[in-house]
Every structure is written in structure tokens, then in C-alpha cells.
Amino acid sequence: MPSLAVVGSQWGDEGKGKIVDYLAQEAHVVVRFQGGNNAGHSVMIGEELFKLHHLPSGILRKGKLAVIGNGVVIDPAVLIKEIDALESRGVSVANLRISDRAHVILPYHRLLDGAEERLRKGAKVGTTGRGIGPAYADKATRLGVRMGDLVDVDLLKAKLDFAVPLKQKYLEMCGDDSRLDGRAIMAEYSAHGRRLKPYVTDTGAVVRDALKRKRNILFEGAQGTMLDIDHGTYPYVTSSTTVASNAASGSGVPPSAVGEVFGVVKAYTTRVGEGPFPTELLDETGASIADKGGEFGTTTGRARRCGWLDLMVTKYAHALSGFTGIAMTKIDVLGGFDEVKVCTHYRLDKKKISGIPADLRVLARCEPVYKTLGGWEDLEGATLEKVLKKGFSALPGNMRAYVRFVEKEMGVPVTMLGLGRRRNELLDLRKRKWK
Ligand code: IMP
Ligand code: MG
């Protein structure tokens, strides 16, 4: 495997964790390059479910270096809890490295996330409430505290002495009457710093050094293209760059180091939080996909909105990230329908349009135009076993037709196919001839 980035091509929750967990077998280093604990990756190993928010999914594979890159924002208390939880289940985190340049999520970021959402009234973003936006905002306005500051008491104190009074004023302006206790924050966060210090380092140098030694790097994206701060459905987006180019910048390596890019495409579409969603199904079919797909957030437990696969979205994601392969996930969830639909384009005022409009009022008026394809039976028990053993050719004909249709429309091969929740319920199709 050359170095490879795995990114979400929809609104997040495409099932990237499972794909990364599988590919991590061939990697030496797994790097998270953006986002924070707004992300939630579920990986099922045997009957055990692991939920990760901060740690790269690669942490579950022995002997891999797991890196939290400079582009990530970190809530230290959450990270420490996650480390403790894994260790108590016998998973070692000795191979964890945390960037000294990654920014820290502080208590006032969480408070402000809530306060700003309340101010928005009818126009809420529907954030995860983890303080992600305010932490990235402070990074951009140069008020941020970095992991490297957290482990240096004097530096941390100087930064907090400056930031806390400002944040107190801003909280008041936002109508939040919480009192920030600078000393208590200092005590709590310097303790976090002491605890995390062994892991904090210049991870950019670590990854670049690994590249020099021809190690395989797996860049693990969080969220998805439509949540990208620049290219997504702004302002209903997250606060980081989720497309493949950030795999380089968020890890501290040159773009040329990112060899391949796998776009994770869930076989249908979901979104949590607010904002337009052209193929959303507000009927029985949508409810049945949600139910069967277990579409409830790993991080917030919120129900996800569900709809048919939208190729306008995934083609846009491909245009931005340049997929060399598609990892299609959760196709099993579409089993049992008489027919399934795929949106091939939008119509606006009776005209076919190309591309995703920046103006959300326009996007909200776009009508999806569907291609209807034949359904297939649920893959269960012995049939699933057979498919996992024999591969693509053993799949139901209509399921293969669905995969081929997506490949043809996108011009990219499906290189992985997710058939269930368990770790082994996945077909590796990288060697398959697809054209
Ligand atoms: P934030 O990232 O918490 O600021 O939330 C901004 C938007 O991104 C909201 O619509 C969230 O629901 C969405 N979001 C953030 N992280 C994820 C994720 O990991 N999966 C799906 N949606 C997410
Ligand atoms: Mg998720």
C-alpha cells in the first residue's frame, strides 16, 4: 500500500472508522489530520464495539504508530478518558503521538459553542457542542493554546491570563452568565498537560521521517466533504478542512506525500444537524434506512437524517479530493427494498444544473432526479459467509449492478465494499478489474 488518505465524501458518518481500521493493517503510521472530538468512529471487533473520538482508528491495530496531527483540536480530558478506557480493555496506547502544534479545546470553547448556538435561535448550526468552532476560531485569531503550551506551565499561564478575561467578556456578551475561574482552569489543564506530556512531540517531523524511511502512512479524515469549512454547505459545516488536501497540511507533510485517496461513500446519504439535504427522505423509507443502519450519532446520540445516495454530492467530493478509489460502506443496509434510487443530478426551475450551488437557498430548491435500480435480498448467515469467501462475483446481481452504476457515474473504482458492522464484513476489491 502506498501512502493513502481516507476522507468522507458526504456529511460525515460514512463509516470511515471501519475502512481505516482495515487499511491500518498495511500501514505503519495512522494520522488524524483535522477535526476533534466532534468525530465519532465506531469499530466493531468480534462482539466488542469500540467508540473513538480523538484517537486515530489505527490505535486498535498493534504496533502501529497512531498520530494526532497538528490540524486537530484536542479536548485533553476527553482524550485522557479515551486512553484510560482503551487501556482498561487491554489496548496499548504506547504508540500514540500528539502534535505539539495541535490546538486545545478549553472550557470556554464549549460554553461559547452552546451560547452562540442559543443566540442563533432559528438558524442553529446544530453543532456537536464540543467547542470545535470556538477552538478553531481562537487558532485563527491567534488566541489559541497549543498542546505544546499545555505541557509548559509558564507558557500556559501567560496564554490563559490573556485569553480568560477576554472570553469572560465575550461570554457575557453572548448572554451566558458562567464565571470562568482562571486559576481552576490553569490547575486542571496543567494536570492534563502532565498526564499527556509523554505523548506530545513534533509529529510532523515524526511522519516526515517515516516517509523518508518508506513507511506507509494512512491519513485518517473525519467528518465529510459537505461539512468542509470552505467547500461544504456553509454555515452548516464544521470548522476544519475535511477534503484530502488537508491530509498534507494537517499532518505536516508535502501534498506529494499523499499518494492515493479513498473517498468513503456510504451507499445512501445521512446528515446530522441542520442545513439543506436534497435527497432527504421524510417518509417510511427514510425511517427504515435509519433504523436498519443504526443511524444515531456516535458522539451525540442524535438521530441522523437519511436519504438516497446523492451522486451530485459524491462527484463534488471526488472533484475536490481526487479519489483513486471508493470505499462503499453499509450497502447491506439497502437490502430488502424492492427498488433503490440514486440521485444522478438536480433540477432547478425545470433545468438540469451542474455542481453544488454555494447559495443554500438555491441548493434547498434543487430537486433530485433519480435513477431507479432493482433491489436485492438481505445478505445473511450462510449467504454472507459465502460472499465473504468468494468475493464480488458472489454478490446478488442487483447489488453488483448498484456498485457498477456508481463506479460508472463517478469514473472511480469501488475498492472496498462494506457488508456489515463486524471487522471482517468487508470486501477488499483493490485487485478487481472494474472497467
Ligand atoms: P461541530 O463540528 O460540532 O462544530 O458541528 C458542526 C456541524 O458538523 C454539525 O452539523 C454537526 O452535526 C456536524 N458534524 C461534526 N462532526 C461530525 C461527525 O463526525 N459526523 C457527522 N456530522 C458531524
Ligand atoms: Mg461519526
Side-chain angles (χ1 to χ4, degrees):
M1 182 188 88
S3 289
L4 186 156
V6 174
V7 297
S9 71
Q10 291 147 322
W11 276 279
D13 305 315
E14 296 93 352
K16 294 177 290 294
K18 187 188 167 89
I19 300 299
V20 170
D21 172 64
Y22 177 83
L23 292 168
Q25 297 178 92
E26 299 163 36
H28 300 98
V29 184
V30 183
V31 196
R32 271 275 314 260
F33 56 87
Q34 46 74 226
N37 56 318
N38 47 350
H41 288 170
S42 314
V43 184
M44 190 94 178
I45 303 176
E47 291 306 315
E48 248 192 301
L49 181 67
F50 288 85
K51 288 189 177 184
L52 302 174
H53 298 288
H54 263 318
L55 292 166
S57 303
I59 199 89
L60 299 173
R61 297 278 182 187
K62 269 200 198 113
K64 313 293 171 185
L65 211 53
V67 174
I68 302 180
N70 57 273
V72 174
V73 288
I74 300 173
D75 187 323
V78 173
L79 177 57
I80 290 168
K81 237 169 111 181
E82 219 164 281
I83 291 172
D84 289 345
L86 282 191
E87 283 185 330
S88 75
R89 290 164 87 173
V91 180
S92 163
V93 292
N95 285 344
L96 174 65
R97 303 286 182 274
I98 304 168
S99 170
D100 50 7
R101 289 176 168 84
H103 279 248
V104 179
I105 302 173
L106 287 147
Y108 45 80
H109 294 135
R110 281 190 303 273
L111 290 169
L112 284 169
D113 197 347
E116 287 173 352
E117 280 284 85
R118 283 191 295 280
L119 279 182
R120 289 174 197 274
K121 297 205 175 80
K124 288 190 194 338
V125 175
T127 73
T128 60
R130 301 296 190 266
I132 306 296
Y136 275 115
D138 275 2
K139 171 178 174 175
T141 52
R142 290 151 297 204
L143 260 187
V145 171
R146 303 193 294 177
M147 286 305 295
D149 308 332
L150 206 60
V151 300
D152 181 319
V153 180
D154 297 329
L155 212 54
L156 179 62
K157 184 163 187 317
K159 293 233 170 175
L160 288 176
D161 282 349
F162 183 55
V164 170
L166 282 175
K167 294 293 151 174
Q168 182 68 67
K169 283 203 184 111
Y170 188 44
L171 269 172
E172 284 158 21
M173 280 163 58
C174 293
D176 187 310
D177 56 13
S178 310
R179 303 302 313 167
L180 298 176
D181 180 344
R183 268 213 221 157
I185 298 175
M186 180 67 202
E188 188 187 344
Y189 281 74
S190 52
H192 293 332
R194 280 194 298 280
R195 172 74 203 275
L196 293 174
K197 192 168 182 170
Y199 307 105
V200 176
T201 187
D202 181 350
T203 54
V206 170
V207 182
R208 289 190 298 272
D209 179 60
L211 280 166
K212 212 180 271 169
R213 289 184 292 114
K214 302 268 182 271
R215 310 272 97 173
N216 298 336
I217 318 290
L218 183 58
F219 301 93
E220 174 178 357
Q223 290 89 38
T225 305
M226 298 306 274
L227 292 171
D228 182 281
I229 183 87
D230 283 284
H231 306 288
T233 47
Y234 191 91
Y236 302 101
V237 293
T238 191
S239 297
S240 61
T241 302
T242 61
V243 295
S245 51
N246 198 25
S249 187
S251 311
V253 301
S256 55
V258 184
E260 291 208 45
V261 179
F262 281 5
V264 186
V265 173
K266 185 152 63 179
Y268 48 95
T269 315
T270 61
R271 119 165 263 185
V272 253
E274 307 304 316
F277 175 0
T279 64
E280 182 169 18
L281 289 165
L282 297 163
D283 57 5
E284 288 273 299
T285 309
S288 132
I289 292 175
D291 188 46
K292 204 160 165 211
E295 295 296 349
F296 299 91
T298 316
T299 300
T300 59
R302 287 184 290 177
R304 296 176 188 144
R305 300 153 65 192
C306 296
W308 296 121
L309 180 61
D310 187 343
L311 290 175
M312 288 291 282
V313 164
T314 56
K315 281 181 189 172
Y316 180 59
H318 173 42
L320 290 164
S321 286
F323 301 151
T324 56
I326 294 170
M328 188 183 280
T329 56
K330 299 183 91 164
I331 194 167
D332 53 301
V333 174
L334 293 184
F337 288 109
D338 292 335
E339 49 185 39
V340 288
K341 293 183 181 183
V342 178
C343 167
T344 52
H345 55 280
Y346 297 155
R347 224 172 2 220
L348 181 69
D349 302 327
K350 304 212 169 84
K351 279 197 230 65
K352 185 174 169 174
I353 67 157
S354 61
I356 302 282
D359 187 334
L360 297 192
R361 294 166 303 182
V362 178
L363 181 59
R365 286 201 296 114
C366 286
E367 286 171 50
V369 179
Y370 292 108
K371 163 91 178 167
T372 302
L373 293 125
W376 55 85
E377 287 305 302
D378 272 320
L379 276 184
E380 283 166 331
T383 329
L384 179 59
E385 288 304 314
K386 190 174 137 206
V387 163
L388 293 174
K389 219 157 79 209
K390 293 187 91 177
F392 191 74
S393 60
L395 290 171
N398 281 346
M399 196 195 260
R400 272 181 283 145
Y402 189 85
V403 170
R404 289 212 186 94
F405 182 74
V406 173
E407 288 181 319
K408 202 168 137 240
E409 285 281 316
M410 290 190 62
V412 182
V414 168
T415 45
M416 324 235 76
L417 190 63
L419 294 169
R421 290 182 61 167
R422 286 186 190 77
R423 196 177 216 177
N424 69 321
E425 290 169 348
L426 182 75
L427 289 183
D428 184 341
L429 304 175
R430 281 176 289 178
K431 294 217 171 75
R432 180 180 138 254
K433 286 209 177 67
W434 68 286
K435 267 189 175 160

